[in-house]
Amino acid sequence: MSDQLKLIVEKLNKEPFKRNYNLITFDSLEPMQLLQVLNDVLAEIDPKNSVDIREEMPDQTAKRMLSILGIMKYKPPGNIGDMSVFRQGLVVGSKPVIHPVLYWLLQRTNELKKRAYLSRFLVRLEVPGEFLQDDVVSETNKQYEDLMENFKIIHKECEQLKSSGFSTADIRRDITAMEEEKDQLIKRVERLKKRVETVQNHQRMLEIARQLRVENEREESLAQQKQEQKNQLFHAEQRLQRAQHQLKNMRHAAADAKPEGLMKRLEEEMKFHSYMVSEKLPKELESKRQTLHFLQKVVTEPAMSQADLTELEEKIHEVNLQINQLIENRMRKDPMDNKLSLFRQQAAIIARKKETKAEELQEAKEEIANFEREIAQKSTQARDIDGSEILRGDEFKHYVSKLRFKSSVYKKKRQELAELSAENGVLQRTEEILKQRHENIQQQLQAIEQKKGILGYSDTQEELERVSALKSEVDDMKGRTLDDMSDMVKKLNSRIAEKKSALAPVIKELRPLRQRCQELTQEHDDKKAQYDSCAAGLESNRSKLEQEVRGLREECSQGESQYHHINLMKKSVEIQIQRAADEMKAYVSPDPQERRKAIREQYSRNILEQENLGKALREKQKLVRESHGPNMKQVKMWRDFEKLMECKKSCFQKQQQASIGQVIQGGGEDLLIL
């Protein structure tokens, strides 16, 4: 208990409570103050509980706290046997009831905050069965449950996103980098615009380029649609082939088989399916239901400690021992049962074999289905890779021969490539030798120019020749650029005309589809208007029903509060009546021992003892008053005597110090004489 109080006081002294308690001050709190502390802790978990309990009725406080503790799945300790005792202790602010609740709440505040938040959306509203007979109420209740399920999914996704590692700092850095990249792109676009403005007819060329981009995008979208339609056609052909294959197999089986064999196979299948439906699947369904029931029961139970687990294990062990004893007793008492046990074991073995064979058959069927799906998936992947169907028979042989021809061509090309690479090596070596010779000739030329006094003449001549060559190249480039631009414009115009002619039939097909799209859009708008009107009506009905349910709940809560208040008043009156009856019984009892136990007798004895004590104290006070004057005189005389003795002592000390000084002075004179 001391560890419990220490933890409570430590948690209350921290954020966000800041109470500055110690063990003594916390333990000396009044019941109302202790209830207010509990209410403040509950308000920190769920802000709806932020109230002053002095302004609230005790039964309402108890009801509110019991409700929130029930939502938090609080389980009272084992020393509180009855729930009524816990409720009464919660009303009167009993320490044995409040302290464990505070200890439990302060240990898991963050977890309970999350549970309180979820309880606002996940606590189901229990609607009576007679109201669910109405279609409107049933539909509204179904929408309410669907919204609750959606909230669960969204909350789970939100928690996963929170725990996924994404941080706001990373997102801000990404946004900053994207903004910088955007600024760079804007600057680059501005530079390109300035560069393009110097070209003639740049607006016309930009417009043509824009049209080309739009047409390219349309071409890509049409190509994508064409590919999707090809895929759909391929899947449809595959389904048709599978259906034809199944039909062929069925016809082949029907042609080869006899009616007796078909009937026998159908009977076997019927027996298997009837066994699955009547025996195996119901057992599995019942086991799943029991497992679900146990799991729901475990979920509704509060968290178990190690002591609870140990207790459950001991109970399981005891129950197993009892079962074994009962089985042994039954085997000893009933010898006929021992004879039948062999047949029961054989029947159980046969039943298990039957179940295993059924499971093996089911697994084989599932494996066949998986193989078929895998074959379809592999064929689809092969079609997506090379755009062709799976080859069979003569087509596959033709494909192999084509691959052989391609491999021979590949080998020849590879040999030619090796020869070219060898020739390339020789040419590179030749180029290096020529460069080296050129450098030697340049050095000799520079030496000759230096002797003649015209150093740099060859470089100047080469520079002039290079500049003239560059000028001629620039002039040729300008001419080619203009010709290329005119050719490019002609090509663009021709390509646009080709695309328009190619897209003409597609546009014709698109026109009825657009009209159909408009019709469907109009129909969608009409349906949406009907849906909105229906939803508004349902919402109004739901609000009315919620108001009625709220009013009935308030009436129910008022009735419950009155009931609890009357019960508490009744219990207090019964306790007072019982105490009065016990007092009367003890007071009129002829036994003096019983009469001494009566409260009246106890109070009388206490009054008599207090009166005697008061008389003794008054006599003592009288004696003190009478002897006060002489005693004060005697005290004054003793104080004067003490002062006199102190004075004599000081005089004697001074006289003694003076005599010692004289002796010391006389001794010094004697020393001087000597």
Side-chain angles (χ1 to χ4, degrees):
M1 181 63 73
S2 61
D3 295 336
Q4 192 180 69
L5 286 177
K6 285 180 182 178
L7 188 137
I8 293 171
V9 171
E10 182 181 356
K11 293 288 185 181
L12 289 176
N13 290 336
K14 293 180 180 179
E15 290 286 344
F17 303 106
K18 291 184 178 181
R19 293 305 178 96
N20 294 325
Y21 286 143
N22 54 33
L23 293 176
I24 298 172
T25 56
F26 180 74
D27 192 53
S28 61
L29 290 176
E30 296 294 329
M32 291 295 290
Q33 295 175 346
L34 196 60
L35 273 176
Q36 185 63 48
V37 171
L38 176 59
N39 188 78
D40 294 340
V41 175
L42 291 174
E44 178 63 26
I45 294 171
D46 190 358
K48 292 191 296 185
N49 296 282
S50 181
V51 295
D52 191 352
I53 60 173
R54 293 175 296 182
E55 300 175 357
E56 192 178 26
M57 295 296 292
D59 52 354
Q60 293 179 358
T61 303
K63 181 182 176 182
R64 179 172 53 79
M65 290 184 178
L66 286 172
S67 176
I68 187 66
L69 290 176
I71 291 172
M72 301 300 169
K73 296 182 180 180
Y74 172 72
K75 184 179 180 182
N79 55 5
I80 301 175
D82 193 2
M83 194 64 189
S84 60
V85 177
F86 176 75
R87 188 183 293 109
Q88 187 175 1
L90 195 62
V91 172
V92 300
S94 176
K95 292 180 181 179
V97 174
I98 302 297
H99 286 175
V101 177
L102 284 173
Y103 179 73
W104 187 79
L105 292 174
L106 292 170
Q107 269 187 325
R108 44 182 67 85
T109 306
N110 295 326
E111 178 185 352
L112 295 178
K113 282 182 180 180
K114 183 178 179 181
R115 188 175 293 175
Y117 167 73
L118 293 176
S119 66
R120 288 186 291 174
F121 306 100
L122 298 182
V123 174
R124 293 186 178 275
L125 180 64
E126 297 296 336
V127 182
E130 57 269 16
F131 291 111
L132 290 175
Q133 299 297 327
D134 190 1
D135 295 336
V136 178
V137 178
S138 177
E139 185 67 23
T140 306
N141 188 39
K142 185 178 179 181
Q143 292 178 2
Y144 166 69
E145 292 177 352
D146 293 339
L147 290 173
M148 191 177 292
E149 294 297 328
N150 291 333
F151 174 77
K152 289 181 182 179
I153 295 170
I154 293 170
H155 179 71
K156 189 179 294 183
E157 291 177 356
C158 180
E159 292 295 328
Q160 290 176 358
L161 288 174
K162 286 182 180 178
S163 61
S164 61
F166 290 109
S167 63
T168 55
D170 296 336
I171 295 171
R172 287 195 185 98
R173 284 196 295 270
D174 293 339
I175 291 171
T176 306
M178 291 170 70
E179 288 178 351
E180 291 177 356
E181 188 175 356
K182 180 182 176 183
D183 295 336
Q184 292 177 1
L185 290 173
I186 291 171
K187 292 178 181 178
R188 189 178 297 174
V189 170
E190 289 178 354
R191 286 198 300 270
L192 290 174
K193 283 182 178 179
K194 290 179 181 178
R195 194 178 296 174
V196 169
E197 287 175 356
T198 58
V199 181
Q200 294 179 357
N201 298 327
H202 64 278
Q203 293 293 339
R204 176 63 179 168
M205 296 177 68
L206 288 174
E207 185 66 27
I208 293 170
R210 191 178 297 112
Q211 292 178 3
L212 177 62
R213 186 179 66 252
V214 172
E215 294 298 330
N216 287 331
E217 291 176 356
R218 290 182 62 185
E219 183 182 4
E220 290 177 358
S221 64
L222 291 172
Q224 188 176 2
Q225 292 178 4
K226 184 179 178 181
Q227 186 64 32
E228 290 177 357
Q229 291 176 1
K230 283 184 179 180
N231 293 332
Q232 292 175 2
L233 179 61
F234 174 69
H235 294 317
E237 289 176 354
Q238 281 189 338
R239 288 195 297 270
L240 179 61
Q241 289 178 1
R242 286 196 297 270
Q244 289 176 354
H245 183 67
Q246 291 176 0
L247 180 60
K248 184 178 179 181
N249 292 334
M250 291 174 69
R251 286 178 178 175
H252 182 71
D256 295 339
K258 295 180 180 180
E260 292 82 3
L262 291 174
M263 290 297 295
K264 187 176 180 181
R265 190 171 63 186
L266 290 173
E267 287 176 357
E268 290 177 355
E269 290 182 358
M270 187 179 69
K271 287 180 181 179
F272 171 71
H273 290 303
S274 61
Y275 167 72
M276 292 291 291
V277 171
S278 60
E279 295 183 14
K280 184 172 174 45
L281 292 178
K283 288 181 182 178
E284 292 182 356
L285 183 62
E286 186 64 27
S287 64
K288 297 293 183 183
R289 285 177 179 171
Q290 290 180 358
T291 306
L292 179 62
H293 175 69
F294 289 141
L295 291 175
Q296 288 178 349
K297 189 175 180 181
V298 170
V299 170
T300 54
E301 289 291 331
M304 301 180 69
S305 61
Q306 187 64 34
D308 297 335
L309 293 174
T310 307
E311 185 179 356
L312 288 175
E313 290 177 355
E314 292 176 354
K315 288 182 180 178
I316 291 169
H317 183 65
E318 292 176 358
V319 172
N320 289 329
L321 292 176
Q322 292 176 3
I323 291 169
N324 294 329
Q325 291 176 0
L326 291 173
I327 292 171
E328 291 176 358
N329 294 331
R330 182 180 177 184
M331 292 175 67
R332 285 197 299 268
K333 291 179 181 178
D334 195 359
M336 190 66 183
D337 191 24
N338 294 331
K339 296 178 181 179
L340 295 175
S341 62
L342 179 62
F343 300 103
R344 288 175 182 170
Q345 289 177 359
Q346 292 178 356
I349 292 169
I350 292 169
R352 283 197 295 272
K353 286 183 179 180
K354 192 175 181 181
E355 289 180 358
T356 54
K357 293 298 180 183
E359 290 177 356
E360 289 177 359
L361 181 59
Q362 190 70 22
E363 289 176 357
K365 287 184 176 180
E366 291 178 355
E367 190 174 359
I368 290 170
N370 291 329
F371 283 145
E372 289 179 353
R373 286 196 296 270
E374 189 174 356
I375 289 169
Q377 185 178 2
K378 295 293 184 183
S379 62
T380 306
Q381 289 178 358
R383 174 66 180 271
D384 292 336
I385 290 170
D386 57 0
S388 60
E389 299 180 358
I390 298 175
L391 302 177
R392 295 183 179 87
D394 297 334
E395 294 180 354
F396 182 73
K397 292 179 181 178
H398 181 66
Y399 180 70
V400 170
S401 63
K402 189 187 291 185
L403 282 179
R404 288 175 181 171
F405 175 72
K406 288 184 178 179
S407 64
S408 62
V409 174
Y410 168 73
K411 290 178 181 178
K412 291 179 181 178
K413 298 294 183 184
R414 188 174 180 181
Q415 187 176 1
E416 291 178 0
L417 183 62
E419 293 175 356
L420 291 173
S421 60
E423 188 177 356
N424 185 24
V426 174
L427 292 174
Q428 286 180 354
R429 178 59 181 165
T430 305
E431 184 182 3
E432 290 177 359
I433 294 170
L434 292 175
K435 284 182 179 179
Q436 188 175 2
R437 289 181 181 178
H438 178 69
E439 289 177 357
N440 294 331
I441 292 169
Q442 287 292 115
Q443 290 176 1
Q444 293 176 4
L445 182 61
Q446 288 178 0
I448 293 169
E449 288 177 352
Q450 189 173 5
K451 287 180 181 180
K452 300 294 183 179
I454 53 172
L455 184 62
Y457 174 77
S458 60
D459 294 336
T460 306
Q461 185 67 26
E462 289 178 358
E463 186 68 23
L464 290 173
E465 292 177 356
R466 190 175 62 80
V467 169
S468 62
L470 286 176
K471 183 176 180 302
S472 61
E473 288 178 1
V474 169
D475 294 336
D476 294 338
M477 190 181 295
K478 287 181 180 179
R480 285 197 303 271
T481 304
L482 294 175
D483 295 336
D484 292 339
M485 290 174 67
S486 61
D487 293 338
M488 186 178 69
V489 171
K490 289 178 182 179
K491 289 179 181 179
L492 290 174
N493 291 326
S494 62
R495 289 185 66 182
I496 290 169
E498 290 175 359
K499 296 295 181 182
K500 285 182 179 179
S501 61
L503 292 174
V506 179
I507 293 170
K508 289 181 181 179
E509 294 176 0
L510 188 62
R511 286 173 183 171
L513 294 176
R514 286 179 178 173
Q515 186 176 1
R516 178 62 178 165
C517 178
Q518 291 178 358
E519 294 175 357
L520 291 175
T521 305
Q522 184 66 29
E523 185 178 356
H524 172 264
D525 295 336
D526 297 337
K527 296 292 184 182
K528 186 176 181 183
Q530 293 177 5
Y531 170 76
D532 293 337
S533 61
C534 181
L538 291 175
E539 184 67 23
S540 62
N541 293 330
R542 186 179 67 83
S543 61
K544 291 179 182 178
L545 290 173
E546 284 181 352
Q547 290 178 358
E548 293 177 0
V549 170
R550 196 178 297 112
L552 293 173
R553 280 189 170 182
E554 290 178 357
E555 293 178 2
C556 181
S557 62
Q558 291 176 1
E560 287 180 355
S561 63
Q562 291 177 1
Y563 169 74
H564 292 305
H565 182 67
I566 292 169
N567 276 340
L568 291 174
M569 295 296 292
K570 180 183 175 184
K571 287 182 181 179
S572 62
V573 170
E574 288 177 354
I575 292 170
Q576 292 177 2
I577 292 171
Q578 185 65 32
R579 290 176 63 185
D582 294 339
E583 178 68 18
M584 182 61 71
K585 183 178 178 181
Y587 183 70
V588 300
S589 177
D591 191 1
Q593 295 295 330
E594 290 291 332
R595 188 176 296 175
R596 287 178 65 84
K597 293 180 181 178
I599 298 174
R600 183 173 180 179
E601 292 293 332
Q602 293 177 6
Y603 282 162
S604 299
R605 287 196 300 272
N606 291 334
I607 291 169
L608 183 61
E609 290 175 0
Q610 294 298 324
E611 287 179 353
N612 294 331
L613 182 61
K615 288 180 182 179
L617 291 173
R618 281 194 294 273
E619 290 177 359
K620 190 174 181 180
Q621 183 182 12
K622 185 177 179 182
L623 292 174
V624 170
R625 284 179 179 175
E626 289 176 356
S627 61
H628 181 262
N631 289 336
M632 291 301 294
K633 289 180 181 180
Q634 190 173 2
V635 168
K636 187 174 182 302
M637 290 173 64
W638 276 105
R639 286 177 180 171
D640 294 339
F641 179 72
E642 185 178 2
K643 289 180 181 179
L644 180 63
M645 295 302 293
E646 288 289 337
C647 183
K648 286 183 177 182
K649 180 181 177 182
S650 61
C651 293
F652 176 74
Q653 289 177 353
K654 289 179 181 179
Q655 185 179 2
Q656 192 174 6
Q657 290 176 359
S659 61
I660 290 170
Q662 289 176 2
V663 169
I664 292 171
Q665 189 176 4
E669 291 177 357
D670 293 337
L671 289 172
L672 291 172
I673 293 169
L674 291 174

